[in-house]
Amino acid sequence: MKRFISDKVKGTKINDVVFEASQGAIEASQREGGQNVVNGAFGTFFDEDGDLFTFESVYELFGKVDRVQIAKYASGIPGPKVFRDAVKDWLFTRNNVTLDSEVIATPGGTGALSSTIKNTLAPGETVVYPKIGWGPYKTIASQHNVNIATYDMFEGDAFNIASFRETTSDVMEKEGKVLVFINDPCQNPTGYTMTNSEWDEVLRHLNMLSDKGPVVLLHDIAYIDFHKEAHYGRIFNKYRHLSENMLVVLAFSASKTMTAYGMRVGAQVLISSNKDERIAFKHACENTARGVWSTVNNGGMMTFASLVNDKAANAKYMKEKEWVMNLLEERASILMDEAEKVGLELYPYKEGFFITMKITDDTKKDAMHKALNDSGIFFVNIKGGLRIAICSIQKAKLRGLAKRIKDIVDS
Ligand code: PLP
């Protein structure tokens, strides 16, 4: 029997573990006044008073954007030139990187991920991403009716290059083409950042694999601005030495960079020495933009361009960001030191918004998640563990948290 929804659509209720856990935390706070509730579900940065943090530098600039600019469509489907140039300056010029690239504005990093899958794979082909990764990757993949293959993130405390090689080689063998995601630096949900030599091994392998068929590397850089080392440029510069059969798509999210999650600004940055194919891919993505969301929030793009080009605002932003990063580091130290003392196992965290407890047994993990919720502690239940958003937990609530968790686990 025919239904309103297409045969290709399931029509099942969305199961978004992040929004679900956040809702639980909100309801518990309303019920219990918030004193004993630990909200480690939100993936957005909250200050020590428990308020959503917003960069003053960014919102001063937003306030100055001409209202005609806010009201109008963007001047061009891939975004205004001033925005596209600003993205390149932000990622490349200030990091001493010289790369030929194309920029297409997208609604957040999510738009960049979705458009890349759509324009790389046909329905039935396979996208590869890490087993422990950002939950919505699965939802985005299912929107394009593609299959999923996952690689193990870790071998001990290091990136699991063997699993990465095996999974991508297997897909190349079967399908003659590979689209693979890497989320680095500050991986969501573990907070891992790959080392220089891990990157070398990944790129050496992908370069070799591209002898057999096209390789598209989707490099999800959602948290790049919270990387402690200032020079991620040394990773981007490696993209100068890739084969003609490789395309790198950076998925940039201004949501985190500007604390502007709802503004929906992001970009795809296309890098390949194969200029004809790079341009063809750009055209495909522009068609997707026009046919799916039209243009991106112009006021948001103008704000980002001002942030890059206004020296005084930029200096103020850097200062504010340093404060955020120091606070993240303090929060991480509290949790990690105490976790070590009480013997709570964590994935190898280096930096960023999230730390994840390692629990590989699903039954145990689900039971623990429920027991923690019942005690007013809200984390996100993901594959392989429970994600603790240190970005949203104040230091006072982090102190003693590892022991509280351990006591609940033991009981
Ligand atoms: N990639 C990762 C790893 C993320 O954590 C997020 C957002 O949380 C995104 C992409 C998408 O970000 P946006 O909100 O800009 O769409």
Side-chain angles (χ1 to χ4, degrees), residues 108-110 113 134 137 183 188 220 222-223 253 255-256 264:
T110 305
L113 296 164
W134 189 46
Y137 285 162
N183 175 204
N188 182 0
D220 183 345
Y223 295 90
S253 159
S255 312
K256 282 85 191 169
R264 311 310 305 141

